[in-house]
Amino acid sequence: MSFLEEPEPLFLLSGIRHKSRMYSETLIQQATASLSASSCSNGHGKVGDACRDDAAAFRLKMMAVGAILVAGVGGVAIPLVGRKRRILRTDGSLFVLAKAFAAGVILATGFVHMLHDAQTALTDPCLPESPWQRFPFSGFFAMLAALGTLVVDFASTQMYERKHREEQMGLKAAASAAAAAATSSDSIIAAAPEFDEEVGDGEDPMHIVGIHAHAASHSHTHSHPHGHAHAHDDEGQVSSHVRHVVVSQILELGIVSHSVIIGLSLGVSQSPCTIRPLIAALSFHQFFEGFALGGCISQAQFKNSAAALMASFFAITTPAGVGVGTALARQYNSRSPRALVVEGVLDSVSAGILIYMALVDLIAADFLSRRMSCNFRMQVASYVALFLGAASMSSLAVWA
């Protein structure tokens, strides 16, 4: 019996090895097919080829570069230039409404445009059925991007708060030391003539010193509550400032990442039928994304040089993507499986970042604030602006 039973584990192991080898070979074949740079031959590109016109497409791309650049510069510059004007100050009602509208635009960009484009690319018939047709990779990558943004948001906030807290403690220690030194020197200078004058009148010098000490301790006791109040106010201001700094940087990261994809997609297209509606849609989209980013930069109170650098980087990203795509249009095959996978993954990641930033750092931060909860008219107007922004950007999906 033992002689007959012993070979069974060997057969079992050999079967497992055979299945593992077949599974690994299948994975390699699927990965090779997914990363192929050859054009897909399923006939989906015939519609685009029917409207193909390289010369007209090039002219439209140059128009798109100019229109998108002007829209981006105008959108990001209005909050930065107007932050010292009364009508466009960051604590003004008009700014709050415009920012709510822009938040709706960004939210619709993530849900309606980027996530849909990612789903379309990753479920394209050019890609192997397994694994791309069997798992919702677009939503999965968007979820991972949103969670990653949460981790970066939290870690960055903690780091900046710690840095600002150490700086504030150092400044307070230096100010306290300077104030103590000034107080002691003033007391010494003022005490000498008082002692001479009052001792001359026959009063006890120790009694005078006791009166001064009591007055000093009394004033110190009464100053403590005010000091604690100021400390709490300073901590609140530092925390708010840190949040604006982190939000502006992460928002720019999300906007820039998907702006590159949008620019490349427009640049590699040779179809005027595709490019023409994209010009208006991207200009509208770029203007209000720029306004939201410019508002966050303005609230973060960066130095003029840093604010100008961030604004310029945002404004030139999409036009630069269009230019790079135009240069690569002849070599880049947008219908290859490799291009579809790369485009789908990057669109998913961009969608996750934009959705997180719109919901958490733009909408929730403003709509759940004390200022909004105490002003019913501002609540209604802000919600109307938010829904209008989301609806207007969503409606552009009909054309682009």
Side-chain angles (χ1 to χ4, degrees):
M1 292 295 293
S2 61
F3 177 79
L4 295 175
E5 290 176 354
E6 285 179 358
E8 290 184 2
L10 298 177
F11 288 125
L12 183 62
L13 287 175
S14 61
I16 293 174
R17 290 174 182 173
H18 179 67
K19 290 182 179 179
S20 303
R21 189 180 302 109
M22 290 180 61
Y23 183 70
S24 61
E25 291 177 355
T26 303
L27 286 179
I28 293 174
Q29 291 175 357
Q30 292 173 351
T32 303
S34 300
L35 298 178
S36 174
S38 60
S39 181
C40 179
S41 58
N42 58 5
H44 284 265
K46 292 181 180 179
V47 176
D49 292 339
C51 193
R52 183 185 180 100
D53 187 341
D54 293 358
F58 182 79
R59 290 194 298 270
L60 287 173
K61 290 174 189 178
M62 295 302 102
M63 290 175 56
V65 169
I68 294 172
L69 182 61
V70 171
V73 170
V76 76
I78 288 175
L80 295 178
V81 175
R83 58 184 168 181
K84 296 181 181 179
R85 303 291 180 88
R86 183 176 180 182
I87 192 171
L88 285 176
R89 288 175 57 183
T90 56
D91 55 351
S93 300
L94 181 61
F95 175 81
V96 174
L97 296 179
K99 190 178 177 184
F101 186 92
V105 170
I106 294 176
L107 185 64
T109 301
F111 272 118
V112 180
H113 292 267
M114 304 306 297
L115 197 58
H116 171 72
D117 291 346
Q119 177 72 13
T120 302
L122 294 179
T123 57
D124 193 280
C126 289
L127 297 178
E129 182 178 354
S130 178
W132 303 107
Q133 307 287 341
R134 297 184 179 182
F135 187 80
F137 281 101
S138 57
F140 179 71
F141 289 134
M143 179 192 69
L144 291 181
L147 293 177
T149 306
L150 171 64
V151 173
V152 173
D153 195 357
F154 175 78
S156 302
T157 302
Q158 294 294 314
M159 182 186 69
Y160 277 106
E161 282 184 349
R162 190 180 302 111
K163 179 181 177 181
H164 277 267
R165 196 178 299 116
E166 292 174 355
E167 292 177 354
Q168 292 293 325
M169 289 177 63
L171 291 174
K172 288 180 180 178
S176 300
T183 303
S184 61
S185 62
D186 292 342
S187 300
I188 294 173
I189 294 173
E194 287 179 8
F195 286 149
D196 292 342
E197 181 180 352
E198 293 180 4
V199 169
D201 293 337
E203 295 189 18
D204 185 8
M206 295 304 296
H207 176 69
I208 299 171
V209 172
I211 291 174
H212 282 288
H214 174 72
S217 63
H218 184 71
S219 63
H220 178 70
T221 303
H222 281 282
S223 66
H224 264 191
H226 299 290
H228 286 304
H230 286 304
H232 287 302
D233 290 342
D234 291 342
E235 289 179 1
Q237 291 176 358
V238 168
S239 179
S240 177
H241 173 68
V242 167
R243 285 298 305 149
H244 289 312
V245 170
V246 174
V247 165
S248 61
Q249 293 179 346
I250 296 180
L251 181 61
E252 174 146 16
L253 174 64
I255 291 175
V256 165
S257 63
H258 88 273
S259 295
V260 172
I261 306 303
I262 291 173
L264 284 172
S265 300
L266 190 150
V268 298
S269 176
Q270 300 289 6
S271 172
C273 300
T274 302
I275 298 173
R276 197 173 289 112
L278 279 176
I279 296 176
L282 294 183
S283 299
F284 177 85
H285 159 268
Q286 195 80 349
F287 178 84
F288 284 103
E289 276 195 348
F291 190 93
L293 179 61
C296 292
I297 294 174
S298 178
Q299 289 176 319
Q301 299 177 356
F302 286 108
K303 295 180 180 179
N304 291 334
S305 57
L309 180 63
M310 294 179 68
S312 301
F313 189 61
F314 159 77
I316 66 174
T317 302
T318 303
V322 175
V324 173
T326 303
L328 298 177
R330 296 185 180 277
Q331 292 82 21
Y332 179 78
N333 184 6
S334 60
R335 296 298 307 166
S336 66
R338 179 189 301 176
L340 290 171
V341 171
V342 172
E343 180 183 346
V345 171
L346 292 180
D347 280 345
S348 301
V349 171
S350 300
I353 296 174
L354 291 179
I355 291 170
Y356 173 87
M357 294 303 301
L359 291 175
V360 177
D361 289 329
L362 293 178
I363 297 175
D366 289 341
F367 282 72
L368 300 180
S369 65
R370 180 177 299 178
R371 176 188 178 186
M372 188 77 73
S373 61
C374 297
N375 191 335
F376 180 73
R377 290 185 178 179
M378 181 63 68
Q379 290 179 21
V380 174
S382 298
Y383 274 104
V384 170
L386 175 66
F387 282 100
L388 283 177
S392 59
M393 192 63 203
S394 299
S395 64
L396 291 178
V398 177
W399 299 281

